[in-house]
């Protein structure tokens, strides 16, 4: 019988040797050395479990492998329930580690199976222990699948024996990278269709490829796709989503809004359904548009490009300004004045915001939002002392607020202003004000004493991560990032973790985080920029240049790309071309300094000074 302690020790030792070798890689050896080491580490783990000298466990491993290597069996809940029938704690631990080794192949597995494994082995509770046995990013990725819906949805597969589902998944994910190339998309799409496996997510990709085209023939194509989905999956989120997107495309905004609402009832953070904001603005429903945007901002779920939200806010504000001014002139309404003051703050007209606030009659109905808005304006104008005074008054009034009055007030105010009645919003702003006043440790202490870290407080979590980063507590900040990333793949938390690892000189770990983030956020430029920077720092110039060429081929223009090209040209000794890029970069830095990524900026400025 295999000894559980010895088995666990060997698995840990393999991980420790991997970490030691990884930390021993010299920068000049490049990324390829790390990639090979990682492959070797996985092979060593697999070799170890395959050579266990225990007949019963060896037979069990064969059954697990047979299950895992078959798409249909791998996603069959009953098979896993049968495989996991044990009542021996020592055997359970061995089984847990074996399954985690086998699952390192990262094949598609539905969420229900992952949840069965978690229920059996209490994986979430053992997160910190598992970090000592396996790479952090692997454990985070595995645990995250407990909460996050698989992509694409398993429930929409019509499972049939003999079909190549794993091949389908391989090609399906590749489609995400060719959405902007008609030729590549058509070739890959044809190859997938030949597998004769249907899934509405595949139809959605085809729909999205053609929906923005001005060619009327393509509009007929997307209409056919909508009809097909309506017949195959009536009243599903896919049927509602495609109907919404098609209605928006032909400018039937009310109809599109109704469909988007149905999608959001089922999937409240569906990033495609966030175009409901466009419908609101088009129908002059400025309040609804703003409420939706600020709801998403609070939950850190604004997945679209920031420019989209800025444009939508600007469009909504243009409607609201006229409406509020007319109403105030006629009614001298204090609630409307508070709303107007907030709008002025949004468009960076702080003097006007304060001027409007000075006309507000302060009473039980207005006092909390009044002091909250003043805190926010003074925060935006970098007047920390005044902000702290208002924060203290905000806190005093908020602590005296009862739930009945709070409920009545939230019905009166817009979503954003009503949010000032929440303690967690107050905590966020107090943390921001103290941070600005260079009382960062006090801000962290206050946040720690006030909340428990959870997804609902993601903005507070991000603030704490940034405070820890500013104080140079990179290890602590990284641990906090891991706590969140083991639950949900938050875009900003990924970026913060990369920054922290970079400061800790854990470049290979940062590179691994980039890779994982790009699997989830395939079209987010930030991660490509970070990855290229890391490749250059690791002397992997060919790999960096290949990634740059890929981005430029997609028509992407970015000031950071100029810097990267300069470094590569300098390395190649192409002096004249490097000088040309340098001159262009130097001019752009003077007017666009803020657009350069923080950990790139220092290098750029050194080059400019030289």
């Amino acid at each position: 019988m295999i000894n559980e302690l010895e088995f666990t020790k060997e698995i840990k030792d393999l991980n420790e040797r991997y970490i030691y070798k990884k930390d021993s890689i010299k920068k000049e050896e490049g990324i390829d050395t790390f990639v090979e080491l990682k492959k070797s580490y996985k092979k060593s783990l697999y070799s170890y479990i395959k050579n266990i000298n225990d007949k019963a466990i060896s037979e069990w491993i064969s059954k697990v492998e047979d299950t895992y290597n078959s798409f249909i069996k791998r996603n069959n809940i009953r098979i896993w329930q049968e495989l996991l029938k044990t009542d021996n704690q020592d055997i359970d631990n061995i089984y847990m580690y074996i399954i985690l080794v086998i699952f390192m192949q990262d094949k598609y597995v539905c969420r229900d199976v992952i949840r069965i494994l978690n229920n059996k082995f209490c994986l979430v509770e053992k997160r910190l222990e598992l970090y000592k046995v396996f790479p952090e990013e692997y454990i985070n990725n595995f645990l995250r699948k407990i909460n996050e819906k698989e992509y694409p949805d398993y429930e929409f597969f019509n499972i049939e024996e003999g079909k190549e589902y794993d091949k389908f998944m391989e090609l399906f994910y590749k489609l995400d990278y060719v959405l902007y190339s008609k030729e590549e998309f058509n070739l890959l799409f044809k190859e997938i269709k030949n597998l004769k496996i249907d899934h509405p997510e595949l139809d959605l990709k085809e729909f999205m490829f053609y929906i923005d085209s001005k060619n009327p023939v393509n509009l007929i194509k997307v209409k056919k796709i909508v009809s097909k989905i309506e017949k195959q999956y009536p009243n599903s989120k896919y049927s509602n989503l495609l109907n919404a997107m098609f209605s928006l495309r032909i400018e039937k905004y009310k109809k599109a809004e109704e469909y988007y609402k149905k999608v959001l009832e089922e999937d409240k953070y569906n990033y495609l359904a966030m175009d409901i904001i466009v419908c609101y603005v088009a129908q002059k429903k400025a309040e609804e548009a703003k409420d939706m945007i600020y709801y998403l901002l609070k939950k850190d779920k604004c997945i679209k490009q920031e420019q989209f939200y800025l444009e939508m806010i600007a469009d909504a504000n243009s409607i609201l300004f006229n409406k509020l001014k007319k109403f105030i002139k006629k009614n001298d309404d204090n609630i409307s004045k508070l709303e107007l003051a907030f709008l002025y703050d949004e468009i960076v007209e702080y003097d006007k915001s304060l001027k409007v606030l000075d006309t507000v009659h302060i009473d039980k109905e207005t006092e909390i939002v009044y002091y909250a808005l003043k805190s926010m304006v003074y925060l935006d104008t970098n007047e920390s002392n005044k902000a702290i005074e208002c924060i203290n008054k905000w806190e005093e009034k908020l602590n005296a607020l009862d739930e009945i009055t709070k409920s009545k007030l939230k019905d009166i105010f817009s979503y954003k202003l009503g949010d000032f009645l929440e303690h967690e919003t107050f905590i966020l702003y107090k943390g921001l004000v103290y941070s600005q006043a260079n009382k960062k440790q006090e801000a962290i202490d206050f946040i720690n004493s006030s909340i428990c870290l959870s997804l609902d407080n993601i903005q507070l979590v991000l603030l704490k991560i940034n405070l820890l980063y500013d104080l140079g507590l990179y290890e602590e900040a990284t641990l906090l990032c891991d706590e969140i990333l083991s639950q949900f793949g938050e875009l900003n938390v990924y970026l913060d973790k990369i920054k922290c690892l970079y400061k800790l000189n854990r470049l290979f770990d940062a590179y691994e985080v980039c890779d994982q983030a790009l699997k989830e956020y395939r079209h987010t430029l930030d991660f490509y920029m970070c990855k290229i920077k890391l490749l250059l720092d690791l002397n992997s110039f060919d790999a960096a240049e290949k990634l740059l060429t890929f981005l430029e081929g997609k028509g992407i223009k970015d000031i950071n790309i100029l810097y990267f090209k300069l470094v590569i040209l300098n390395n190649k000794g192409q002096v004249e071309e490097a000088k040309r890029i340098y001159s262009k970069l130097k001019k752009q830095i003077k007017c666009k300094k803020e657009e350069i990524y923080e950990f790139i900026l220092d290098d750029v400025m050194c080059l400019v000074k030289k």
Side-chain angles (χ1 to χ4, degrees):
M1 178 68 185
I2 188 170
N3 183 291
E4 188 266 335
L5 291 175
E6 288 180 8
F7 176 85
T8 303
K9 183 180 182 302
E10 183 59 32
I11 295 284
K12 284 183 179 179
D13 286 347
L14 284 168
N15 186 51
E16 286 172 8
R17 287 199 289 272
Y18 164 67
I19 292 170
Y20 174 78
K21 288 179 180 178
K22 179 180 64 180
D23 292 343
S24 301
I25 300 173
K26 296 175 182 176
K27 285 184 180 181
E28 53 267 26
E29 293 181 71
I31 198 67
D32 291 342
T33 305
F34 167 66
V35 171
E36 288 305 313
L37 173 65
K38 193 175 175 183
K39 286 179 183 176
S40 175
Y41 163 65
K42 288 183 179 180
K43 283 180 183 177
S44 298
L45 280 172
Y46 187 69
S47 176
Y48 175 66
I49 66 167
K50 283 295 286 181
N51 290 297
I52 289 173
N53 190 20
D54 184 296
K55 187 179 178 184
I57 289 181
S58 292
E59 288 175 354
W60 182 82
I61 289 172
S62 294
K63 290 177 183 176
V64 172
E65 283 188 303
D66 179 64
T67 300
Y68 188 76
N69 290 329
S70 161
F71 181 93
I72 295 176
K73 290 180 182 178
R74 185 167 70 243
N75 292 288
N76 188 313
I77 297 167
R78 291 191 187 89
I79 292 176
W80 286 107
Q81 287 171 333
E82 193 64 35
L83 281 169
L84 298 174
K85 280 184 180 177
T86 61
D87 53 9
N88 183 317
Q89 183 60 48
D90 288 347
I91 287 293
D92 278 354
N93 283 337
I94 292 170
Y95 280 6
M96 175 181 72
Y97 289 129
I98 288 170
I99 283 174
L100 286 170
V101 169
I102 291 171
F103 273 57
M104 282 183 118
Q105 295 174 61
D106 200 24
K107 293 182 179 180
Y108 175 96
V109 184
C110 69
R111 182 173 59 178
D112 288 343
V113 168
I114 301 295
R115 286 179 170 178
I116 286 170
L117 297 176
N118 180 55
N119 291 338
K120 173 66 177 177
F121 300 122
C122 303
L123 297 170
V124 171
E125 290 83 352
K126 294 175 181 175
R127 177 175 64 88
L128 295 177
E129 177 189 329
L130 291 172
Y131 284 162
K132 299 173 184 176
V133 186
F134 296 99
E136 292 165 7
E137 215 50 48
Y138 169 60
I139 295 301
N140 286 342
N141 186 36
F142 192 95
L143 296 181
R144 204 160 47 242
K145 293 173 183 175
I146 297 166
N147 295 314
E148 295 184 344
K149 189 68 176 165
E150 68 277 347
Y151 170 69
D153 292 353
Y154 180 72
E155 64 187 284
F156 284 93
F157 278 112
N158 182 21
I159 299 299
E160 297 177 58
E161 290 286 350
K163 291 196 171 181
E164 298 179 79
Y165 291 98
D166 281 323
K167 182 67 175 175
F168 173 90
M169 294 310 307
E170 178 192 336
L171 298 174
F172 176 84
Y173 291 136
K174 280 184 181 179
L175 267 181
D176 284 326
Y177 296 93
V178 298
L179 279 175
Y180 304 110
S181 168
K182 184 176 180 179
E183 187 178 341
E184 288 181 77
F185 180 88
N186 285 334
L187 283 171
L188 197 52
F189 194 80
K190 185 178 179 182
E191 191 176 352
I192 296 175
K193 294 300 281 185
N194 286 339
L195 296 173
K196 301 194 182 306
I197 296 171
D198 223 1
H199 194 286
E201 196 77 45
L202 186 61
D203 295 295
L204 176 60
K205 286 187 186 299
E206 185 183 20
F207 177 93
M208 290 178 66
F209 185 77
Y210 291 112
I211 188 64
D212 291 328
S213 171
K214 293 179 181 179
N215 187 335
V217 175
N218 288 338
L219 206 58
I220 294 169
K221 281 184 182 179
V222 297
K223 180 59 180 172
K224 285 181 179 178
I225 296 169
V226 173
S227 299
K228 176 195 170 189
I229 293 298
E230 281 182 321
K231 288 177 184 176
Q232 282 186 276
Y233 312 97
N235 301 315
S236 69
K237 71 174 181 182
Y238 290 104
S239 171
N240 290 325
L241 183 58
L242 265 64
N243 268 306
M245 293 168 74
F246 183 75
S247 299
L248 179 61
R249 173 67 177 79
I250 59 175
E251 299 181 0
K252 291 188 176 181
Y253 300 114
K254 184 172 176 56
K255 191 175 180 181
E257 177 194 338
E258 290 169 359
Y259 280 119
Y260 278 132
K261 281 181 176 177
K262 290 179 182 178
V263 176
L264 291 167
E265 282 173 12
E266 186 179 343
D267 184 5
K268 61 183 177 180
Y269 298 132
N270 187 303
Y271 79 99
L272 292 173
M274 290 172 195
D275 276 341
I276 192 172
I277 298 165
V278 180
C279 300
Y280 286 143
V281 172
Q283 296 176 87
K284 308 295 183 186
K285 295 182 178 180
E287 292 91 344
E288 288 93 332
K290 293 284 290 289
D291 284 354
M292 184 67 177
I293 290 169
Y294 281 109
Y295 171 75
L296 294 168
L297 282 168
K298 183 182 178 183
K299 301 297 182 183
D300 198 41
K301 293 293 180 183
C302 284
I303 300 169
K304 287 177 172 288
Q305 291 296 321
E306 184 183 2
Q307 189 60 33
F308 168 81
Y309 295 102
L310 291 175
E311 288 172 4
M312 290 297 102
I313 287 174
D315 289 345
N317 283 351
S318 65
I319 299 166
L320 284 173
F321 265 118
N322 293 329
K323 185 177 177 181
L324 286 170
K325 284 177 181 178
K326 285 179 183 177
F327 192 78
I328 292 167
K329 189 175 181 179
K330 187 177 180 180
N331 300 283
D332 193 38
D333 181 66
N334 285 303
I335 303 298
S336 298
K337 287 178 182 178
L338 291 170
E339 297 283 0
L340 183 61
F342 175 65
L343 292 189
Y344 277 126
D345 180 83
E346 272 190 324
I347 63 171
V348 199
E349 293 195 21
Y350 304 124
D351 288 342
K352 287 184 179 180
S353 182
L354 290 170
K355 192 174 179 180
V356 172
L357 285 170
D358 287 341
T359 68
V360 174
H361 174 67
I362 304 170
D363 56 21
K364 293 291 182 184
E365 193 174 69
T366 61
E367 59 186 5
I368 294 175
V369 173
Y370 171 83
Y371 288 118
L373 280 172
K374 275 215 159 179
S375 302
M376 185 178 74
V377 176
Y378 286 134
L379 176 68
D380 290 338
T381 56
N382 294 312
E383 296 177 84
S384 302
N385 291 333
K386 288 182 179 179
I388 289 172
E389 284 179 24
C390 293
I391 280 281
N392 291 336
K393 289 179 180 177
W394 181 4
E395 184 173 23
E396 177 193 333
K397 304 300 180 184
L398 192 61
N399 287 338
L401 182 68
D402 62 81
E403 286 299 318
I404 295 172
T405 307
K406 176 181 170 181
S407 180
K408 289 178 181 177
L409 290 176
K410 284 184 83 77
D411 288 339
I412 296 171
F413 290 108
S414 65
Y415 177 84
K416 177 59 182 176
L417 296 197
D419 200 42
F420 288 131
L421 304 170
E422 300 291 346
H423 276 276
E424 65 177 39
T425 304
F426 163 74
I427 294 162
L428 173 66
Y429 275 91
K430 186 170 180 177
L432 289 168
V433 168
Y434 273 62
S435 175
Q436 187 184 80
N438 209 24
K439 298 180 179 182
K440 298 183 189 296
Q441 189 59 56
E442 287 180 56
I444 289 175
D445 294 341
F446 174 68
I447 292 169
N448 285 342
S449 67
S450 304
I451 65 160
C452 295
L453 294 175
S454 69
L455 180 64
D456 286 338
N457 292 313
I458 188 63
Q459 287 188 316
L460 281 164
V461 174
L462 289 168
L463 173 59
K464 185 179 176 182
I465 291 169
N466 287 318
L467 288 166
L468 291 168
Y469 181 87
D470 290 343
L471 289 167
L473 301 171
Y474 307 123
E475 290 281 6
E476 198 174 332
T478 303
L479 287 172
L480 186 49
C481 289
D482 281 328
E483 187 172 349
I484 303 305
L485 292 174
S486 67
Q487 298 177 61
F488 299 95
E490 296 289 343
L491 185 150
N492 288 313
V493 179
Y494 272 127
L495 289 170
D496 285 339
K497 185 175 181 182
I498 292 165
K499 279 199 314 182
C500 292
L501 292 171
Y502 192 85
K503 286 290 187 181
L504 291 165
N505 203 33
R506 290 168 56 185
L507 303 187
F508 293 112
D509 291 331
Y511 179 86
E512 203 164 13
V513 176
C514 274
D515 263 0
Q516 180 56 46
L518 279 168
K519 288 179 183 176
E520 297 181 53
Y521 299 99
R522 293 165 178 81
H523 304 298
T524 301
L525 190 60
D526 302 55
F527 296 120
Y528 286 105
M529 297 294 101
C530 293
K531 188 171 181 177
I532 294 168
K533 168 64 175 167
L534 289 162
L535 286 169
L536 292 175
D537 283 354
L538 293 166
N539 290 315
S540 299
F541 292 95
D542 289 344
E545 188 170 19
K546 186 177 178 181
L547 199 48
L548 271 178
T549 303
F550 167 77
L551 292 175
E552 289 184 308
K554 302 295 180 188
I556 293 168
K557 294 178 181 179
D558 186 272
I559 190 170
N560 298 279
I561 288 177
L562 286 177
Y563 164 69
F564 294 140
K565 289 179 82 171
L566 178 59
V567 174
I568 291 169
L569 289 167
N570 189 52
N571 179 69
K572 286 182 172 181
Q574 296 179 9
V575 181
E576 292 306 315
E577 182 64 13
K579 282 181 180 178
R580 187 184 69 80
I581 296 292
Y582 169 76
S583 297
K584 195 174 179 182
L585 177 64
K586 191 174 179 181
K587 287 177 185 176
Q588 289 201 29
I589 286 173
K590 288 179 181 177
C591 59
K592 294 188 177 181
K593 188 173 172 180
E594 72 282 353
E595 292 183 13
I596 300 179
Y597 290 98
E598 179 187 342
F599 65 101
I600 295 172
L601 183 57
D602 291 341
D603 293 347
V604 175
M605 296 313 292
C606 285
L607 276 170
V608 171
K609 285 172 186 175
K610 289 177 184 177

